[in-house]
Amino acid sequence: MPELVFKGKEYVYNHHLTVPYRPLVPDAKKSVGAGDLSGNLIIQCDNLHALKSLLPRYAGKVDLIFIDPPYNTGNENWAYNDNVNSPIMKEWLKSNPVNGEDMLRHDKWLCMMWPRLVLLRELLSEHGSLWMTLDDNEVHRARSVLDEIFGAEAFVACCVWQKKYTVSADHKGIAPMHDYILVYRKPEFERGKLERTDDADRQYKHHDKDGIFRLSDYTCNKTADERPNLYYPIANPTTGKEIWPSRSRVWAYRKELSQQHNSDGLLWWGEDGRATTPYFKRYRHALKDGGKLVPGTWWSFEFADHTDAAKKELLQILPDLSGLDNTMTPKPTKLIERVLEIACPENGLVLDSFAGSATTAHAVLKANANDDGNRKFILVEGEDYADRITAERVRRVMNGYAFVGTQREELLREKITWSKFQKSDALLKQIESIKAREGFADGDLADQGATVKKRFDKISVKIDGGELRVEGEKKISKRVAGLGGEFTYCTLGEAIDAEKILSGETLPDFLNLGAWLYHTATGGTLDPTKIDPANFYLGEALGRHVWLIYRPEIAFLKSIDAALTLSFAKSLREKKPGKPHLVFAGAKFLSNKQLLENGVEFASLPFGIYREV
């Protein structure tokens, strides 16, 4: 497979391994609920460090990753600040932030994304998938990077999302109307289907005693010469007449099967039964999976909403938000709801490491409210608005919020075709009639609307995207009910550093140190329900029990109790029989032979303090 080469790749290829592990530190004041690190999380810090800190708890556990990284348009002024210890990277930092004048901005973007995508891959479960939104600036390079990290066979689709419903009239070139959504999967990923829509059901307009059905062509695109066995007559059961297909387009089914269809009443011969061409009846109730729809790669704004709706939605929830255009470009909730519908089970875990305005959390909460699901989310946001915008949106969506804004009701929608344009007088009369009906009449119709109780404050008439829309607008003030739920707001603590542990300057608690060691040694995730700090037990992985002889106390670490002794090794057989044991401790007071006899493997912790005993 071709390899994507970019400046700095050799320095970031394994950079994720050098990122220190920093434990999650809950902030009760900024959280909603009692606080639970196994529940919904909002983490404020650099997302590379956050992803590393999530590994001990969530490696291989995330069902869906949705990320909306910097598009690298040249106007975003994002900064490359990963602490990669190399002269070339340090030189780049002098030209931060990254902007359109930076000739290496594409290389920097790739350097920024590489280690994050590697860690995201480690967090993704075997049946999970990653969805990433981008535009034309980086989508082709992102495909190459994802092919290299996940494998080209992991590519699922490149969806095209129509993010705008109208062309920008002041654009100097060809105005962009869409973004992309790249989808990559782990081996056991299974794509879900979409609920049926009214549009999909409009085809089912016929009915008989057996149910509602639509008609489909009973022929195929093969000729009589290519498929002679499909060229035969079918008898109309009403007229008795034999109906032959065209020689250039024969029947779609073999003779025996079509005879069965005919006798079962599955062929439609017109309302009077005398048609000269049969159609096949496809009944609504016979659809597989309840008629759910296979998702496609074209996501129109009607299907997944648009950026204008996303901004309006955010401002409804956070009306005091200022400078929105300069800080973020939120995605619509409906867009992520579609992703959840396709790729996340009802009890799935969703991760967004470029959280922004928290649309992902909002979509998860809405999905849970709609189907009584138990999906959970983890958001990571490094900007200073993580509390003010990201978390605050989630608080208001959970608890409810006051909404002061404009309620709109569509009264007329017409496509402006040439024939409609020629009959503009009729359209104008129709608009005036609507205004009169709602109490906003002009001229001769004023008396007609004088006694009408107005439902709206105004009637707006506009043409957008080739459509005439008449809407009633009413200023409203109401309280939107909360969707419920809780989340824990976190920052990251000091990195677990061997030198600081040796000096006693930093002593992490048992759970955080244990989670880090457990994951490093086994690649597994620590189950908090199995931990027993009093007996130094962490859990079971790779066919062995894992132990950590540790307390975050200098006095304990200086004592003989912090070492692996023969008596402790023998006791393990009684506590957890039948499997070998891996023991982390500051020292051991037994030989390798004694370790082997007791089925114990020793792993030394970075403690030298015990030598003072």
Side-chain angles (χ1 to χ4, degrees), residues 332-334 336-337 340 358-368:
T333 305
K334 190 174 180 181
I336 303 179
E337 285 183 273
L340 293 172
T359 306
T360 297
H362 192 169
V364 167
L365 294 171
K366 284 184 69 175
N368 286 341

Side-chain angles (χ1 to χ4, degrees), residues 432 436 441-450:
E432 288 304 316
D442 296 323
D444 295 338
L445 295 176
D447 292 338
Q448 178 183 337

